[in-house]
Amino acid sequence: MLASRFTWILALSLTAPALAFADDLLEDDDDALQETEEEKKAREAAERARLTEADSVQDLLDDGDEIKALDDVLDEEDQIDLLGGDGASAPGAKAGQDTAELYRAQQADVADADVDEELMAWDRYLERYPQTLFRDRIEKRIEELNDLAYGRRIDRGGPQLLDANQRDVPIAQGMTLDSLNPTDRMQAGFEWGLPSYMNLFVDYESALKRDLSVHGGARHRYTGWSFEGGVRYALIKSSRTQSIVTFLGDVHFNSNPAFLGIRPQIGVGKKFGQLDLQGQFGVDIDTRPLSAPKVIGGLNGTYYAADNIAGFLETSVYMGNLGWDEGPFRFNLAAFGLKFFPELANEDAGKLEVNVAASVPYTSNYWRYHFGSIMTQINYYM
């Protein structure tokens, strides 16, 4: 009997530590399971946040420019100064990456800024968030602002963001060439060449549509004083490619000697940032007996060094009797000069253009109308 009790006591003594060790293992397993469940919840929360952010970004991209103000997203005390601060990204965003809320905030912040201020603000935004989710949209807006900043002196209506099929393509006006851009414009000027050549001119142009205008005026060409009129029709006028192709159909009535002439031409122009390039080619046909058609045209390159000044180099061609063995009649000029855009009152800002130039014949044969000239031209855009 004593031996049996001793056996039970010994068995209990040996199994108690094992039972305690098993309980510890079970508790550890419960803790491990509990920790795994918490991690799972954390992962689910993070995934929901990521999907919510992705949906917000996608909604913002899908909504176009109809985006809510920041007040609909953040309380006033939580709004972020995007033009100042330390440049830290929002919590949870990658380094250099913005969020939909930050982009909305930037749009609200620049809503009332002028063109230059908005340009600087978006440039700083891209520097701050080089991995922005909205880079394509921002770069498109910067391109539009650059167009406005460059063309505001000649947009005739201030820096307004117009549809692509409404925006102007203001190719530079040449001194010895005709205007390519159908627009509302008054032009006047003079040319004085040694020893005795004088050309006074005045012309008014009115745009019937964005791509069609009519004009009329008077000037002294090489054949004498004439009254002129005609049309400008832009076959291509693309603000996206900043290019223009124009048909110029002019009629002139020469006074002394008296005759009727027509001057059909085709002109092509394109803007390359601050550089305008254009070329024109056509013929001048008159009704005088034995008068041969004359080849007319030329090239112009204008560089805008600043908002209110540009320089240009130009050549013009005037040739006739091209089949003659002794060489054709010709009087071809090279011209160079400056364009100024004086600052006027706000309602007339960007409307006035003053051009000054000098010209010299670089090749001539039979015709020699002057040995060099100075020219002034004033354009007022309405």
Side-chain angles (χ1 to χ4, degrees), residues 70-367:
L70 181 62
D71 291 339
D72 296 334
V73 182
L74 302 174
D75 294 334
E76 183 176 354
E77 62 270 20
D78 293 329
Q79 293 182 8
I80 301 170
D81 180 11
L82 293 177
L83 297 180
D86 58 3
S89 298
K94 297 179 181 179
Q97 186 180 91
D98 61 351
T99 64
E101 287 77 12
L102 289 174
Y103 179 64
R104 290 190 184 103
Q106 176 75 347
Q107 287 198 315
D109 195 57
V110 301
D112 298 324
D114 64 24
V115 174
D116 292 333
E117 291 175 349
E118 187 175 351
L119 264 173
M120 290 188 293
W122 285 118
D123 284 339
R124 292 184 62 179
Y125 188 87
L126 289 178
E127 291 177 1
R128 195 174 188 183
Y129 303 110
Q131 304 300 322
T132 174
L133 303 169
F134 309 98
R135 176 170 287 276
D136 289 344
R137 183 176 295 275
I138 293 171
E139 289 179 345
K140 180 180 178 182
R141 178 58 179 164
I142 289 175
E143 181 179 355
E144 292 171 345
L145 292 169
N146 278 322
D147 289 343
L148 291 174
Y150 168 73
R152 60 186 169 183
R153 60 181 177 276
I154 39 184
D155 270 348
R156 324 301 179 231
Q160 298 176 351
L161 185 59
L162 303 175
D163 292 338
N165 62 353
Q166 295 177 322
R167 291 201 296 268
D168 199 10
V169 185
I171 297 295
Q173 167 69 59
M175 287 291 285
T176 60
L177 303 180
D178 293 306
S179 171
L180 289 186
N181 184 32
T183 188
D184 294 314
R185 173 184 56 90
M186 174 65 76
Q187 181 186 94
F190 76 91
E191 179 182 6
W192 176 43
L194 296 174
S196 59
Y197 177 75
M198 178 65 71
N199 174 22
L200 298 175
F201 55 91
V202 61
D203 189 81
Y204 174 73
E205 183 177 356
S206 177
L208 305 179
K209 298 192 300 181
R210 176 177 178 264
D211 56 0
L212 177 65
S213 69
V214 295
H215 78 98
R219 70 174 61 227
H220 185 274
R221 295 194 184 272
Y222 301 136
T223 53
W225 288 99
S226 67
F227 299 94
E228 307 187 353
V231 298
R232 307 276 189 268
Y233 177 61
L235 305 172
I236 298 174
K237 190 174 184 179
S238 171
S239 60
R240 181 181 63 84
T241 62
Q242 292 289 278
S243 59
I244 187 168
V245 177
T246 304
F247 169 75
L248 299 83
D250 288 349
V251 177
H252 59 97
F253 301 91
N254 210 75
S255 60
N256 186 21
F259 63 86
L260 172 67
I262 59 173
R263 294 168 56 91
Q265 297 182 78
I266 285 290
V268 178
K270 182 170 175 58
K271 306 178 78 68
F272 298 91
Q274 294 174 265
L275 177 65
D276 284 9
L277 295 179
Q278 63 178 295
Q280 299 177 20
F281 175 79
V283 294
D284 188 351
I285 305 171
D286 62 58
T287 57
R288 289 178 295 177
L290 304 179
S291 177
K294 302 169 187 65
V295 174
I296 57 175
L299 302 170
N300 176 284
T302 299
Y303 181 78
Y304 293 87
D307 282 348
N308 59 356
I309 189 171
F312 66 90
L313 182 64
E314 183 173 298
T315 178
S316 62
V317 173
Y318 184 71
M319 297 190 298
N321 299 95
L322 300 181
W324 280 29
D325 294 336
E326 297 83 359
F329 282 67
R330 62 183 182 272
F331 186 66
N332 302 330
L333 296 177
F336 57 92
L338 296 173
K339 291 177 174 288
F340 301 95
F341 307 93
E343 293 293 337
L344 301 177
N346 289 337
E347 62 272 15
D348 293 323
K351 294 185 175 181
L352 181 62
E353 174 186 322
V354 179
N355 304 323
V356 293
S359 72
V360 60
Y362 65 87
T363 177
S364 63
N365 189 26
Y366 298 108
W367 291 334

